[in-house]
Amino acid sequence: MPQLIAMRGDITTLRVDTIVNAANISLLGGGGVDGAIHRAAGPELLAECRKVGGCETGNAKATPGFHLPAKWVFHAVGPVWQGGGHDEDELLASCYRRCLELAKLHQVRTIAFPAISTGVYQFPPRRAARIAIDTVREDVDASGVEVVQLVCFNAETLAIYEGFLVEAPRAPIV
């Protein structure tokens, strides 16, 4: 059974097969975790992302990690929160599902996710955490991933993830 671990830390320093980038549709860098990943990976990441040609919301694309400890970066484009009536929940779940599909394709055993869409995209953190954990629990077995790290930027987000991880799986919060 795969391990799901919530932790606080800097995703750019983790020694895992893959880190997930909370990217924008251009994949050309931005603020928050996206900017930090681009800075840590070096200019080669930006050059590779230019070749990829963007990514639609709810999807993810893979690039090498370049100067990161991780071999891969999966760039997941989460939804901007618009009040919950614009398929935000499904689009966010789709990001996690797509990353696990990429993990299977690239034979990834360890993956680290940030709290996708909870920064400048303003997705409510509790709702996002429930979607992330439930989706990963549903889909991780088929992916071949052995360890999933849910990397939180602050103590408040970590407490939310830790609380949901000790609960049995259930339906998303609405």
Side-chain angles (χ1 to χ4, degrees), residues 11-14 19 36-37 40-41 45 64-73:
I11 200 166
T12 67
T13 65
L14 298 180
I19 62 171
I37 289 170
L45 181 61
F66 297 103
H67 299 288
L68 293 162
K71 180 177 180 182
W72 298 101
V73 178

Side-chain angles (χ1 to χ4, degrees), residues 23-90:
N24 60 49
I25 59 172
S26 75
L27 302 185
L28 301 180
V33 72
D34 190 13
I37 289 170
H38 272 267
R39 285 188 299 278
E44 297 91 342
L45 181 61
L46 180 58
E48 186 68 21
C49 285
R50 282 193 173 112
K51 293 178 194 172
V52 170
C55 183
E56 62 275 3
T57 302
N59 200 0
K61 293 189 177 177
T63 66
F66 297 103
H67 299 288
L68 293 162
K71 180 177 180 182
W72 298 101
V73 178
F74 294 167
H75 304 268
V77 180
V80 174
W81 181 253
Q82 299 177 60
H86 299 274
D87 296 321
E88 293 101 315
D89 290 357
E90 181 50 41

